[in-house]
Amino acid sequence: MKTLAFGMVVLGAIVLSLTPEPVTAAGKYDGSAPMICAAMAVTECVAGGRCQRRSADQVNFPSLFRVDVKAMKVRSLEAEKGRETSIRNVDHANGKVILSGAEGERGWTVLINEASGKMSATAAGDGEGFVIFGQCGLQ
Amino acid sequence: MMGRGRGIVASVLGALVFVAPQLGTAQPYIYPDRGQTFQQQESDKGQCYGWAVQQTGFDPANPQVAVGPPPPSYYPQQPQAPEGGMLRGAAGGAALGAVGGAIGGDAGKGAAIGAGVGALFGGMRRMRYEEQQQQQMQQQQQQQQMYMAQQQNAMSQGRANYERAFSACMSARGYTVR
């Protein structure tokens, strides 16, 4: 009996430890404050369906960039490149902030989980596309 | 005395020629039409060997042909490590650290501020390294195959010339060579 009670306590502790933290309606990373994002994994795809894992540098994308929703800018943090693009649209859907824009011959989107700061971005071009996964933090 | 010495040298040379690798070709059969002794045969072989090498420039004991240097072997260049190397692969933790550092002001020091405006997503480019690598490798393989074929042809030609010259020499000395 004692053993069963002890087991229940341990099980309860495990369940509690696995329960995610409560998420506020508007997360920390909803764009109300500037964020710094890191591109952690980049995949390059071509129209034929072939995709290759790359590094950000290999596809000429900054490893670190700043997302400033209020200023409607996404800007590289790498001093020597000093690149930026304007955000055209900002949407909020199901706890995600979705930014999009167009630049040159490409359209792009950046989706950030407002609670966790996890970032997914795409850049679509003519017969090619890039998918970038990363993590954002508050500046 | 001199003649005997030369005969020994010629015999040794002759023996060397027929002990040397024959490049996969069969040795010629030599019949002494005039009843030459074995020693005489060896001497004649050695002298004909020297003459045939001199005439053709091909030495079966050291088969070499001049077809130019071989094409360089292909060693693909490795892509340079990205500047943001710490963000690659399983370095997710490091990436998070970088974000933290950037937020703290380290990575962002002097960054974009005042820098010129350029394309961010528009400036991305496909990495064509692997495609180029494959093309280069194919070209290299073709060149090496061509080089091997040239070398084999030249070797066969040199060998055939040598055998004709050797045969002519031995025939003139009273041997039947087949």
Side-chain angles (χ1 to χ4, degrees), chain A residues 6 11 14 29 33 47 56 70 79 82 101 104-106 109 115 124 137:
Chain A
F6 179 72
L11 188 65
I14 291 170
Y29 310 101
K70 281 187 179 168
E105 296 177 345
R106 291 203 181 105
T109 58

Side-chain angles (χ1 to χ4, degrees), chain B:
Chain B
M1 189 70 179
M2 278 288 279
R4 195 174 170 192
R6 268 199 290 187
I8 292 168
V9 170
S11 298
V12 171
L13 274 174
L16 271 177
V17 172
F18 289 95
V19 167
Q22 297 296 309
L23 296 173
T25 57
Q27 283 186 30
Y29 290 100
I30 298 164
Y31 182 78
D33 291 339
R34 299 175 194 162
Q36 295 95 323
T37 63
F38 178 76
Q39 196 177 5
Q40 182 63 43
Q41 285 177 43
E42 293 303 303
S43 171
D44 288 335
K45 278 181 192 174
Q47 287 178 17
C48 283
Y49 158 76
W51 184 80
V53 169
Q54 194 182 29
Q55 291 296 308
T56 62
F58 182 87
D59 184 351
N62 183 24
Q64 284 177 344
V65 287
V67 290
S73 299
Y74 180 70
Y75 294 107
Q77 288 182 329
Q78 293 300 312
Q80 289 183 345
E83 290 163 17
M86 63 182 175
L87 301 177
R88 295 186 69 182
L96 293 178
V99 173
I103 292 164
D106 292 335
K109 265 184 191 172
I113 302 162
V117 175
L120 191 74
F121 291 96
M124 293 178 79
R125 60 172 179 264
R126 274 172 52 207
M127 189 185 158
R128 294 190 167 85
Y129 167 74
E130 285 178 11
E131 293 162 20
Q132 288 171 353
Q133 193 184 29
Q134 278 183 345
Q135 284 176 356
Q136 281 180 335
M137 208 178 278
Q138 282 174 352
Q139 284 176 354
Q140 195 68 33
Q141 281 174 348
Q142 284 173 351
Q143 282 179 354
Q144 280 182 344
Q145 282 171 353
M146 279 175 61
Y147 176 78
M148 293 286 283
Q150 275 181 344
Q151 209 174 27
Q152 279 184 346
N153 283 343
M155 198 74 89
S156 301
Q157 189 65 42
R159 173 105 204 142
N161 289 342
Y162 167 82
E163 283 175 355
R164 279 173 50 219
F166 180 79
S167 180
C169 175
M170 291 297 279
S171 297
R173 288 168 183 255
Y175 296 89
T176 296
V177 183
R178 290 279 187 275

Side-chain angles (χ1 to χ4, degrees), chain A residues 20-31 35-38 40 94-97 111-120 134-138, chain B residues 96 99 103:
Chain A
E21 288 177 24
V23 176
T24 52
K28 290 194 293 183
Y29 310 101
D30 61 354
M35 292 175 272
I36 302 292
C37 300
M40 292 156 63
N94 295 327
K96 279 94 181 171
V97 56
L111 181 149
I112 299 166
N113 186 313
E114 293 178 354
S116 65
K118 282 186 179 168
M119 182 268 301
S120 307
Q135 179 67 46
C136 298
L138 291 176
Chain B
L96 293 178
V99 173
I103 292 164

